[in-house]
């Protein structure tokens, strides 16, 4: 018989997605625990690049500086085709870079935060199956010593591409496997490269070379002439492959980690069934070209966390969780399409593909508009949620990421938006110059108010008298103070649920 749960949410998987989600839930006051089959955090580098938007999110939760202390910021990407350069400094963000940090370090930072917030993490415990019974999910666990069942109101599968939660949901994982394989090796090079991040494209295949900043390099290699093998990757194989693709011996040595795997692109048909939800690799996998996987998972977690917290607390309706799927599935579907096209184009030896990739890379690096689009979408800065946005808000506001607004005058002078998001609340930016409206007082501590005038930011933000920022940093509503009297409380009800402060009657004084 399944035992009851002391936790409102249980998360399967202590990778970056699961740990980030646990921290978000705990920040919102939700009791949660994480179960993980591994006995220790990964000691391998694995996913290693945090894009600009992910770094912004980590800054809103006070973790960005800790990441930077352990990382190597890469400001540009060199592509061998036409000696092209993708300049990440052009992003309208404080994080115009690709932040290179091994996955194990990212997990350590996220786990420390989760534990500090009271999250329980049980390692050496594998979730093997689950089923919904009424308003609870019964899930099966096993360790070396025993097998048992537990219950929880909500279960989230952050348990990877072979997700037991997704399987129990009966959600198809549609897609395909590429015909070639990838070799990954973290090594030192006897012939160091001039660039911190180089994508070398040739007729024989593709190499992505990334500088860790500590003497080691990550090499990701697609060699079209190499068939699949179950054999471990050897240093000699890495060396011979690099000679074939680069045309010279880079003299790799001292391997820290090597791996061989097939590339898949798959998307779950649904991210939720009843009280079971999936996120990260459990919901979507794709080509690693562009380094989007870990970033998508963290963004999934930050989108889902505050929504699930509102529903678990009884404030919000299930509709909130449905918006998680509507917003995030569309984003991952777009990433799958783009990375699939880029991977096929970059690895093909056919003449049309070779011409297309040269033209495409030149457009993305040398044409200003193409460059802005490329770095905006690569970094996640350009990600928006138009399908759930408020249609009455000014163009470019609702559904869009809000930059780190800085206040030049007024009570909030000197403050920055991201610093006021540490508690995971909504933020109401009021530029009207009038006294506090009190419109969102019924939601109490769920809202942080910032009054004053912002400056030094591009886009529509300076023209909006009032801006409601969601806990994940996206605009929920924007407009003038006159419209706000009716529309702002409605927007808050939509995204935060019922008010938390009891209304007082005149007799209450």
């Amino acid at each position: 018989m399944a035992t009851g749960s002391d936790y409102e949410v249980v998360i399967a998987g202590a990778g970056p997605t699961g740990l980030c989600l646990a921290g978000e839930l705990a920040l919102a006051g939700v009791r949660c625990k994480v179960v993980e089959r591994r006995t220790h955090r990964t000691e391998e580098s694995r996913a290693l690049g945090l894009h600009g938007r992910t770094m912004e999110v980590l800054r809103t939760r006070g973790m960005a500086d800790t990441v930077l202390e352990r990382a190597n910021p890469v400001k540009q990407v060199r592509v061998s085709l036409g000696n092209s350069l993708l300049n990440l400094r052009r992003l309208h963000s404080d994080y115009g870079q690709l932040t290179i940090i091994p996955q194990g370090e990212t997990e350590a930072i996220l786990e420390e935060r989760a534990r500090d917030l009271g999250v329980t993490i049980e390692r050496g415990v594998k979730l093997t199956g689950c089923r919904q019974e009424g308003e609870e999910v019964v899930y099966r666990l096993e360790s070396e010593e025993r097998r048992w069942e537990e219950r929880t109101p909500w279960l989230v599968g952050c348990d990877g591409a072979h997700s037991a939660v997704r399987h129990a949901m009966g959600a198809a994982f549609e897609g395909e496997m590429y015909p070639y394989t990838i070799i990954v090796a973290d090594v030192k090079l006897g012939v160091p490269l001039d660039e911190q991040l180089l994508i070398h494209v040739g007729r024989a295949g593709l190499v992505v070379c990334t500088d860790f900043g500590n003497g080691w390099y990550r090499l990701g290699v697609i060699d079209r002439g190499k068939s699949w093998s179950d054999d471990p990757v050897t240093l000699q194989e890495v060396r011979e492959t690099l000679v074939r693709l680069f045309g010279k011996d880079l003299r790799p040595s001292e391997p820290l980690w090597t791996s061989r795997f097939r590339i898949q692109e798959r998307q779950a048909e649904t991210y939720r069934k009843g009280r079971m939800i999936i996120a990260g690799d459990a919901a979507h996998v794709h080509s690693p070209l562009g380094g989007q996987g870990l970033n998508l998972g963290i963004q999934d977690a930050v989108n889902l966390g505050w929504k699930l917290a509102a529903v678990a607390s009884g404030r919000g309706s299930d509709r909130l969780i449905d918006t998680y799927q509507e917003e995030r599935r569309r984003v991952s579907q777009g990433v799958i399409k783009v990375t699939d096209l880029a991977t096929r184009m970059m690895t093909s030896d056919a003449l049309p593909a070779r011409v297309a990739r040269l033209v495409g890379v030149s457009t993305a690096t040398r044409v200003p508009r193409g460059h802005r689009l490329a770095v905006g979408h690569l970094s996640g800065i350009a990600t928006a949620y138009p399908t759930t946005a408020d249609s009455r808000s000014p163009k470019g506001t609702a559904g869009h990421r809000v930059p780190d607004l800085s206040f030049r005058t007024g009570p909030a002078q000197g403050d920055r938006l991201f610093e006021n998001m540490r508690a995971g609340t909504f933020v109401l930016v009021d530029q009207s110059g009038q006294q506090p409206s009190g419109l969102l007082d019924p939601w109490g501590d769920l809202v942080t108010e910032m009054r004053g005038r912002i400056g030094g930011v591009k886009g529509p933000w300076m023209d909006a008298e009032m801006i409601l920022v969601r806990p994940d940093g996206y605009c929920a509503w924007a407009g003038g103070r006159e419209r706000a009297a009716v529309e702002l409380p409605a927007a808050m009800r939509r995204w935060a649920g019922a008010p938390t402060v009891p209304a007082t009657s005149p007799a209450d004084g």
Side-chain angles (χ1 to χ4, degrees):
M1 179 175 292
T3 59
S5 177
D6 294 328
Y7 304 97
E8 296 164 278
V9 180
V10 171
I11 300 166
T17 303
L19 292 170
C20 182
L21 176 59
E24 291 296 289
L25 290 167
L27 187 65
V30 175
R31 300 187 310 277
C32 63
K33 78 169 177 178
V34 182
V35 294
E36 167 59 50
R37 61 178 178 79
R38 297 174 298 169
T39 56
H40 299 88
R41 286 193 306 270
T42 181
E43 297 178 355
E44 301 158 347
S45 56
R46 295 189 178 272
L48 75 166
L50 300 177
H51 286 297
R53 181 55 190 160
T54 302
M55 288 299 296
E56 287 186 345
V57 165
L58 294 176
R59 182 174 176 181
T60 67
R61 301 302 191 257
M63 292 180 281
D65 288 345
T66 304
V67 169
L68 290 175
E69 290 171 0
R70 310 182 191 187
N72 180 33
V74 172
K75 304 289 186 178
Q76 61 188 29
V77 180
R78 179 72 66 180
V79 185
S80 64
L81 296 169
N83 196 32
S84 301
L85 187 68
L86 202 62
N87 187 355
L88 301 177
R89 296 184 187 91
R90 296 183 184 177
L91 280 173
H92 297 308
S93 169
D94 290 338
Y95 300 101
Q97 63 197 40
L98 180 62
T99 303
I100 304 301
I101 179 171
Q103 180 173 323
E105 295 287 342
T106 302
E107 287 185 9
I109 293 167
L110 292 170
E111 180 170 338
E112 181 179 4
R113 179 208 183 210
R115 289 189 184 277
D116 286 346
L117 289 168
V119 174
T120 298
I121 300 174
E122 297 180 354
R123 293 190 174 274
V125 177
K126 181 180 180 180
L127 185 143
T128 59
C130 51
R131 65 187 184 276
Q132 183 163 326
E133 292 185 356
E135 297 298 301
E136 290 184 313
V137 179
V138 178
Y139 56 99
R140 298 190 301 275
L141 299 174
E142 68 176 45
S143 66
E144 287 187 357
E145 295 82 18
R146 66 188 183 113
R147 298 178 180 179
W148 70 104
E149 288 187 340
E150 293 181 355
R151 295 176 178 269
T152 182
W154 293 93
L155 177 68
V156 185
C158 302
D159 48 346
H162 302 288
S163 170
V165 178
R166 186 190 66 242
H167 180 75
M169 287 168 51
F173 203 37
E174 299 170 346
E176 60 181 306
M177 185 176 292
Y178 288 79
Y180 31 71
T181 62
I182 284 186
I183 291 175
V184 176
D186 293 346
V187 296
K188 284 190 172 182
L189 296 178
V191 182
L193 301 172
D194 295 331
E195 299 293 336
Q196 288 184 297
L197 204 163
L198 170 67
I199 301 176
H200 180 83
V201 185
R203 298 189 66 172
L206 170 76
V207 182
V208 180
C209 186
T210 308
D211 185 357
F212 279 103
N214 59 1
W216 267 268
Y217 289 80
R218 156 68 60 81
L219 302 174
V221 181
I222 298 177
D223 182 352
R224 284 195 307 276
K226 188 175 291 295
S227 58
W228 173 257
S229 170
D230 291 321
D231 296 335
V233 177
T234 65
L235 185 60
Q236 183 62 27
E237 180 183 3
V238 173
R239 185 170 189 171
E240 291 174 354
T241 302
L242 292 177
V243 169
R244 184 162 55 256
L245 296 178
F246 272 100
K248 61 181 179 181
D249 188 358
L250 299 180
R251 302 203 305 274
S253 64
E254 302 181 51
L256 291 176
W257 176 58
T258 61
S259 182
R260 189 194 319 269
F261 60 91
R262 286 190 170 103
I263 309 174
Q264 299 184 67
E265 53 165 22
R266 299 185 186 278
Q267 170 101 310
E269 64 175 340
T270 181
Y271 286 10
R272 177 199 180 188
K273 182 177 181 181
R275 291 175 172 261
M276 295 182 285
I277 308 168
I278 52 175
D281 287 353
H284 44 73
V285 294
H286 53 83
S287 167
L289 193 62
Q292 295 290 334
L294 184 151
N295 294 273
L296 281 179
I298 289 178
Q299 298 294 334
D300 284 353
V302 174
N303 184 289
L304 174 61
W306 59 275
K307 296 175 179 178
L308 181 54
V311 177
S313 69
R315 285 188 288 107
S317 71
D318 278 10
R319 170 63 184 149
L320 259 182
I321 300 178
D322 293 336
T323 68
Y324 157 68
Q325 170 167 296
E326 290 174 27
E327 293 180 341
R328 294 306 301 167
R329 194 175 187 279
R330 176 180 170 275
V331 172
S332 56
Q333 188 170 25
V335 168
I336 289 171
K337 289 180 178 178
V338 170
T339 56
D340 174 58
L341 177 62
T343 301
R344 294 182 188 280
M345 186 174 66
M346 286 292 199
T347 56
S348 175
D349 191 37
L351 179 60
R354 300 205 308 271
V355 172
R357 69 188 177 218
L358 181 59
V359 172
V361 170
S362 296
T363 300
T365 57
R366 291 182 171 86
V367 177
R369 184 172 183 275
H371 194 283
R372 287 194 300 272
L373 286 172
V375 298
H377 287 286
L378 177 68
S379 65
I381 295 295
T383 295
Y385 302 135
T387 56
T388 58
D390 176 81
S391 60
R392 297 176 296 277
S393 294
K395 183 179 179 181
T397 57
H400 290 257
R401 154 250 185 204
V402 184
D404 190 14
L405 305 175
S406 59
F407 288 75
R408 306 303 188 194
T409 63
Q413 183 174 356
D415 283 2
R416 299 185 71 95
L417 173 64
F418 289 179
E419 296 301 314
N420 281 272
M421 297 180 67
R422 294 283 179 92
T425 64
F426 288 79
V427 177
L428 178 61
V429 175
D430 186 346
Q431 299 189 89
S432 68
Q434 302 177 41
Q435 290 299 310
S437 67
L439 291 170
L440 302 187
D441 287 354
W443 282 270
D445 293 341
L446 288 178
V447 183
T448 300
E449 188 166 345
M450 300 181 70
R451 292 186 297 118
R453 289 294 302 178
I454 59 178
V457 63
K458 294 185 178 182
W461 308 108
M462 293 183 66
D463 298 327
E465 280 191 316
M466 303 185 83
I467 305 165
L468 180 61
V469 186
R470 304 185 333 184
D472 59 355
Y474 284 81
C475 178
W477 182 92
R481 182 153 172 150
E482 186 174 330
R483 284 179 47 224
V486 174
E487 296 179 13
L488 191 55
M492 195 66 185
R493 283 183 180 276
R494 177 189 184 191
W495 292 111
T500 58
V501 178
T504 57
S505 67
D508 296 325

